Structure formats: C-alpha cells, structure tokens
Amino acid sequence: MISEKMKKLSEAIREADTIFIGAGSGLSTSAGYIYTGERFERHFSDFIIKYGFKDGYSASFFDFPTQEEFWAFWSRMIYYERYASVPKAKVFEDLLTLVKDKEYFILTTNADHIFQRTGFDKKRLFYTQGDFGLWQCKKPCHQKTYDNKEIVIKMFQEQRDMKVPKELIPHCPKCGGVMYPNLRGGSWFVQDEGWYAASNRYANFVKNHQTGKVVYLDLGTGYNTPTIIKFPFMQMAYANKDATYVSINYGEAEIPLSLKKRGIGINNDIGIILRELVEINEK
C-alpha cells in the first residue's frame, strides 16, 4: 500500500513546473559511496594497518610523510570515487527518470560527479565543493584546474608498497610546486572558469524560477554545511506559496514549522524512496 506521504510527494513532483535538486553526502552514500566499514577496509587495508585510519574522510586530512605516499592514497581515493563504476547507479538513474522532463537544476556539495556520469545534463549541475577529477596548484599560484584521469589511473595501477613512482608525482606547470585535489578545504581552493560558469547558470536558474509550482528536493544534506543547500532551499520554498520543500535523508529529514503544511520529510534510504516513486509513476 502506498503511504499518504509518498502519494503527496509523487503528486508534487508530477505537477511541478520546476525542480531544484540539492544533493548531499547522503545521496552518494545511498549509491554505495561509503567512507567507512567494509568498502574502506577493502580498498585501504594497507593504510589502515600502517596508520590506524578509521574512515576515508578523516584519512583525507592526514599529513603523509612523502608525496609518493600522499599520491598512493589519493590516487586510490580518486579512482574509486571518480573513475570506477558507480556501485549503485540505479539510484541516480531513477532520479533522472523522475526529473528528465522537468525544468531542473542540481546544486551539490559532492565531488564524485555521479550526476554527469549517469546521464544528467552537465549544464544543469553546480558542484560547489570541487571535483575529484581535477587537481590544482596547492599554493595556488594561479586559478586553473587540470584533468587528472590519465595520471591518476597510472598512479593507481603502478603504486607499490603504498607509494607511487616518483616520476608520476604531479607538479604545477606554472611554479613547479606540489599539486592537490581540487576539493574545498581551505583558502587555497581554486574556483576556475568552469566553477564560475556553473555558479552563474545556477544563479540565473534561481532568478528565473522563483514562482509557480516548484519542488525543492533536498536529498541527503545534513547540518555540516547547511548554508549551501538546506537553508537556502527552505528560504526559497517559504517565499513561494506554491512551492513544496522535500527532505529525504536517513535520520535527518526535518521540516521546519514554517513549512509544515508545504513540507514533506522522509526518513529512509534515498534510493529506496526514488525507486518507489518511479514505480508509482509507472502504475
């Protein structure tokens, strides 16, 4: 039996003129991108034994003693997060099925680019926190990023004893300094031309879709960086009497009192809910 909440959500999406998608770590987790437990232990057991790492997130802040080790860890991380096949791509494919015929835009704090890899229009994407597929000068001496796929895969394949060959270590083409993944973590984060172009597209989308039947679909965002997606979505939904704010997040699907009548909160695995929505539409 379909719950009243799922009926309401299905109807809101079906009748929507516009859908804003806010994607946090919970969405990638639903697709199999887990930084702890069996997956992390399977891919990083040697680093865990040597350094006692508990999870991939905290390990990413570790100050490795050499660039050879740094890039052994990071090429492995980048490979599994950005270039290996998506463990549960169906989660994103179901989301695309639900929104592909709508006016939609995606704002995400994830850096894995699963959206683009599963068929979403890259002109409707704004990755605010960087991209595992790019690297930059660590200083940085200039505001440009570089594709890393070819060298990262070579480092992944050729590393031995938790070290990459010295000749594969990337250096800045301008100053010769060390390179670093293009992931927001400090003032050194590079926002290149592509970042600003995506930011402008999103700003224009917001400007042009402030009224009408709009659904703000908040998928897996928490309170780590709520000012990027969660709070702006709530504020925009509140300002538009015809809008619906939706939060789907395992354990953190909260709806503010100001949006109680126009909000839908579902505490469950995002992939399960998206699959159910597709099945409801197919009936």
Side-chain angles (χ1 to χ4, degrees), residues 73-197:
F73 174 85
W74 272 103
S75 64
R76 214 181 296 180
M77 176 69 77
I78 293 168
Y79 175 79
Y80 286 116
E81 298 301 308
R82 183 68 171 82
Y83 299 124
S85 59
V86 181
K88 299 178 182 178
K90 188 65 175 173
V91 173
F92 282 76
E93 292 166 358
D94 282 343
L95 179 58
L96 181 58
T97 297
L98 292 169
V99 305
K100 64 183 179 181
D101 296 324
K102 303 286 185 178
E103 277 293 309
Y104 74 86
F105 204 102
I106 299 157
L107 179 66
T108 181
T109 53
N110 301 333
D112 44 42
H113 266 261
I114 306 175
F115 284 106
Q116 195 167 323
R117 294 156 61 193
T118 51
F120 286 82
D121 181 357
K122 66 180 181 180
K123 298 297 185 182
R124 296 172 179 264
L125 286 165
F126 180 23
Y127 283 77
T128 65
Q129 306 296 72
D131 178 359
F132 277 113
L134 302 173
W135 54 30
Q136 59 166 86
C137 176
K138 179 64 184 290
K139 286 183 179 180
C141 71
H142 63 300
Q143 296 294 306
K144 186 176 180 180
T145 60
Y146 301 86
D147 291 336
N148 63 28
K149 183 175 183 179
E150 182 180 351
I151 300 178
V152 160
I153 290 177
K154 286 193 72 173
M155 288 194 288
F156 173 78
Q157 294 173 336
E158 297 182 20
Q159 62 180 260
R160 300 290 184 273
D161 300 320
M162 293 185 293
K163 294 179 181 177
V164 301
K166 192 170 185 177
E167 62 270 19
L168 293 181
I169 295 173
H171 295 279
C172 175
K174 298 288 187 181
C175 72
V178 298
M179 298 290 274
Y180 199 79
N182 180 231
L183 303 172
R184 190 182 298 279
S187 59
W188 43 261
F189 176 68
V190 167
Q191 297 176 174
D192 63 7
E193 290 182 2
W195 190 97
Y196 282 107

Side-chain angles (χ1 to χ4, degrees), residues 246-261:
V246 181
S247 176
I248 307 175
N249 198 358
Y250 203 74
E252 287 190 83
E254 299 176 2
I255 302 298
L257 288 175
S258 60
L259 290 170
K260 208 68 177 178
K261 293 182 179 180

